């Protein structure tokens, strides 16, 4: 097989299938073969060289795909590959496999649509689930998304917890088309202050407009840009030599984790706080990542001591103050706050932890070796019950009450109790459990 004669025979076969007239000189034949094969050996695109992506979207498993021409990258590191190796039949819609825009649908009220991926090519739209093209596609844009223009630049989903209603944002030039999934109506805004987005991406409740090899973070309702932008995507959304924004920061070991607070709000968002950062725990499908607390609660510049949620509001305590935010699409500090703990909750002194059980109106506040209960329906609010905690529960860091009971965290471990009453009065010492990577995104 390695003989020159075999090589030339292969040359002739290859040239015939390509309708290329073979030359008779053997060296010329080899040259023709290599020239004919050149496209097959063309270098794969390198996103670390600085690429303007055509589209970015996660799939139903939380894998993020970056598209350029007929190629894609899966995840935040690794080489490119032909996009039709994963999304088969995608190249049938466009001969080069190019897509204009893509997004993962968020429409929990419609399970047949939720988490499906939409791709837009010229005036057509296709839908994939589990990397398979669904029956009935491609469709005309006017049929699937009436009122939205064709030949889009970008698209991104926006859940009702962040855009008031389940919405898709479509970008074309400087215009943004807000498509309401429930009413199938379109509202148009012009965001001339935002760079022209060639792709858009929602990641961990944050929205990013990609342009060139840069990105700009924006508010999905107003388009407002806060902070120092644009930024180079290679420093944040991919692992590239000589790029990066975190220095030598590594994921902490689970044995080193120490929480300041943890809470779940009425929309099901679970946050944990440590130092100056917070992390969403219910977004683990799309990745766990720490953000500065000031990104969502800009007044909390020095971390928090304790946090709990109650009736569409989140209470964040620091020193002798409590900050109350309305849990809209984005957290907004209620006018008149912060207030003192004494004025708002009828307590004084440092708070170690606080938690509220689902559908209840009593917040349990841990201070040192005591648990104090405050009825949130009372006016004025005051302590209604004050009990000592077992000795091994002194110096608690954080607490959370959910369907499985009460978790109180101490260092890298937590104790699980059936109820606040058993926590306070139980005589049996519960064995501590270790914080795991599945819980906090740390290293086991």
């Amino acid at each position: 097989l390695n003989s020159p004669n075999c090589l030339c025979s292969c040359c002739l076969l290859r040239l015939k299938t390509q309708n290329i007239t073979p030359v008779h000189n053997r060296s010329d034949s080899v040259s023709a073969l290599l020239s004919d094969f050149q496209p097959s050996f063309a270098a794969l695109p390198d996103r670390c060289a600085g690429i303007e992506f055509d589209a970015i979207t996660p799939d139903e498993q939380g894998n993020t795909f970056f598209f350029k021409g007929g190629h894609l990258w899966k995840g935040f590191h690794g080489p490119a590959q032909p996009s039709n190796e994963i999304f088969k039949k995608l190249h049938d819609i466009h001969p080069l496999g190019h897509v204009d825009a893509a997004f993962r649908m968020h429409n929990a009220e419609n399970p047949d649509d939720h988490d499906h991926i939409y791709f837009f090519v010229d005036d057509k739209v296709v839908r994939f689930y589990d990397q398979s093209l669904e029956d009935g596609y491609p469709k005309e844009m006017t049929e699937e998304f009436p009122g939205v223009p064709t030949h889009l630049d970008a698209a991104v989903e926006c859940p009702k917890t962040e855009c008031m209603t389940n919405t898709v944002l479509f970008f074309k030039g400087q215009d943004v088309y807000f498509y309401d999934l429930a009413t199938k109506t379109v509202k148009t805004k012009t965001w001339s202050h935002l760079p022209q987005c060639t792709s858009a991406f929602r990641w961990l409740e944050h929205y990013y407009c990609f342009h060139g090899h840069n990105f700009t973070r924006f508010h999905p309702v107003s388009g407002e840009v806060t902070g120092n932008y644009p930024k180079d995507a290679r420093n944040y959304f991919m692992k590239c030599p000589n790029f990066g924004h975190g220095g030598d920061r590594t994921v902490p070991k689970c044995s080193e984790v120490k929480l300041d607070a943890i809470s779940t709000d009425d929309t099901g968002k679970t946050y944990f706080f440590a130092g100056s950062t917070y992390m969403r725990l219910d977004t683990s499908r799309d990745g766990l990542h720490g953000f500065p607390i000031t990104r969502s609660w800009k007044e909390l510049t020095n971390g928090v001591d304790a946090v709990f949620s109650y009736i569409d509001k989140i209470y964040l305590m620091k020193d002798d103050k409590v900050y109350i935010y309305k849990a809209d699409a984005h957290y907004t500090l209620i006018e008149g706050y912060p207030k003192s703990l004494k004025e708002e909750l009828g307590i004084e002194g440092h708070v170690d932890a606080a938690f509220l059980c689902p559908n209840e109106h009593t917040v349990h506040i841990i201070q040192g070796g005591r648990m104090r209960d405050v009825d949130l329906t009372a006016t004025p609010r005051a302590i209604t019950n004050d009990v000592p905690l077992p000795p091994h529960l002194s110096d608690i860091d954080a607490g959370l009450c959910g369907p499985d009971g009460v978790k109180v965290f101490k260092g890298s471990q937590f104790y699980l109790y059936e109820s606040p009453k058993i926590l306070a009065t139980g005589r049996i010492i519960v064995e501590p459990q270790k914080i795991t990577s599945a819980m906090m995104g740390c290293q086991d």
Side-chain angles (χ1 to χ4, degrees):
L1 290 175
N2 293 325
S3 69
N5 289 333
C6 179
L7 178 59
C8 284
S9 298
C10 294
C11 286
L12 293 171
L13 178 61
R14 173 65 172 167
L15 294 172
K16 287 178 181 177
T17 61
Q18 297 296 315
N19 295 319
I20 298 174
T21 303
V23 292
H24 296 289
N25 181 281
R26 177 173 298 175
S27 62
D28 289 342
S29 297
V30 174
S31 297
L33 171 68
L34 295 177
S35 176
D36 186 40
F37 267 54
Q38 191 63 37
S40 299
F41 294 119
L44 292 172
D46 179 10
R47 57 181 164 179
C48 290
I51 277 181
E52 183 173 80
F53 296 111
D54 297 326
I56 305 172
T57 183
D59 67 5
E60 70 281 357
Q61 302 297 326
N63 302 305
T64 299
F65 294 94
F66 298 79
F67 293 83
K68 180 65 177 180
H71 291 85
L72 62 75
W73 292 262
K74 180 180 180 180
F76 302 105
H77 59 89
Q81 63 186 105
S83 52
N84 66 341
E85 287 185 359
I86 293 182
F87 296 98
K88 301 186 186 305
K89 298 186 178 181
L90 184 59
H91 286 200
D92 294 349
I93 291 92
H94 192 286
L96 299 179
H98 167 81
V99 296
D100 295 328
F103 74 92
R104 182 182 68 188
M105 178 64 76
H106 185 98
N107 191 11
E109 289 81 359
N110 185 358
D112 293 334
D113 201 23
H114 185 60
D115 275 351
H116 295 234
I117 299 178
Y118 285 78
F119 292 100
F120 301 87
V121 182
D122 298 334
D123 59 351
K124 300 290 192 297
V125 56
V126 295
R127 193 172 76 175
F128 278 75
Y129 188 76
D130 195 21
Q131 300 176 1
S132 297
L133 179 65
E134 297 189 49
D135 294 339
Y137 289 88
K139 292 183 179 180
E140 298 290 332
M141 273 286 296
T142 53
E143 176 185 358
E144 194 79 351
F145 295 97
V148 176
T150 61
H151 299 82
L152 295 166
D153 292 326
V156 66
E157 73 282 6
C158 188
K160 62 183 179 182
T161 53
E162 297 157 31
C163 275
M164 300 303 181
T165 63
N166 288 328
T167 304
V168 182
L169 278 62
F170 294 98
F171 296 78
K172 186 168 184 176
Q174 302 299 139
D175 293 331
V176 184
Y177 300 81
F178 293 76
Y179 185 85
D180 188 312
L181 293 172
T183 63
K184 299 186 183 301
T185 56
V186 178
K187 294 181 180 179
T188 307
K189 296 181 181 180
T190 299
W191 287 349
S192 56
H193 64 283
L194 200 64
Q196 184 169 335
C197 309
T198 61
S199 57
F201 182 38
R202 172 183 177 265
W203 187 60
L204 304 182
E205 299 181 280
H206 300 291
Y207 292 78
Y208 302 92
C209 162
F210 284 75
H211 44 96
H213 57 77
N214 296 319
F215 70 92
T216 297
R217 186 165 66 90
F218 65 94
H219 191 289
V221 176
S222 66
E224 180 183 3
V225 175
T226 56
N228 184 25
Y229 290 95
K231 295 181 179 179
D232 196 314
R234 292 169 291 184
N235 285 323
Y236 296 84
F237 287 94
M238 58 202 78
K239 291 185 178 180
C240 295
N242 303 317
F243 288 92
H245 69 288
D248 297 325
R249 180 184 178 275
T250 58
V251 177
K253 295 180 180 179
C254 294
S255 59
E256 299 171 348
V257 170
K258 185 179 185 302
L259 304 184
D260 290 328
I262 185 169
S263 182
T264 299
D265 69 14
D266 290 340
T267 65
K269 299 175 184 177
T270 299
Y271 300 93
F272 87 69
F273 301 79
S276 61
T277 64
Y278 78 92
M279 182 182 291
R280 276 278 302 278
L281 297 182
D282 57 297
T283 58
S284 58
R285 178 182 67 169
D286 294 331
L288 295 171
H289 187 82
F291 293 101
I293 291 174
T294 51
R295 177 170 285 192
S296 292
W297 302 278
K298 62 183 180 181
E299 291 79 11
L300 275 299
T301 56
N302 294 308
V304 299
D305 295 329
V307 177
F308 69 90
S309 299
Y310 178 64
I311 308 182
D312 297 327
K313 298 180 182 67
I314 187 167
Y315 293 62
L316 297 100
M317 288 167 271
K318 180 63 180 179
D319 299 327
D320 62 346
K321 297 285 194 300
V322 57
Y323 300 73
I324 303 180
Y325 291 80
K326 186 171 177 55
D328 289 332
H330 296 270
Y331 288 106
T332 305
L333 184 66
I334 293 176
E335 187 177 353
Y337 287 87
K339 293 183 179 180
S340 69
L341 289 170
K342 177 67 174 177
E343 181 182 2
E344 182 66 29
L345 297 172
I347 60 173
E348 296 181 272
H350 175 78
V351 175
D352 294 313
F355 60 89
L356 188 77
C357 295
N359 303 315
E360 293 191 4
H361 305 281
T362 298
V363 60
H364 308 278
I365 297 173
I366 296 176
Q367 295 180 287
R370 306 192 71 83
M371 185 170 76
R372 297 180 168 103
D373 297 345
V374 175
D375 182 357
L376 296 176
T377 65
T379 303
R381 292 168 174 171
I383 296 172
T384 58
N385 194 30
D386 186 345
V387 296
L389 293 174
H392 67 284
L393 293 182
S394 61
D395 300 324
I396 290 297
D397 297 322
L400 179 69
C401 185
D404 57 344
V406 179
K407 294 186 182 79
V408 287
F409 295 83
K410 185 175 180 178
S412 61
Q413 298 178 323
F414 68 94
Y415 299 84
L416 179 62
Y417 295 87
E418 290 184 16
S419 67
K421 182 177 180 180
I422 294 177
L423 163 66
T425 62
R427 295 292 179 260
I428 299 176
I429 297 179
V430 175
E431 288 296 320
Q433 302 179 46
K434 294 181 179 179
I435 291 174
T436 65
S437 59
M439 296 172 62
M440 304 290 177
C442 48
Q443 297 185 65
D444 286 328

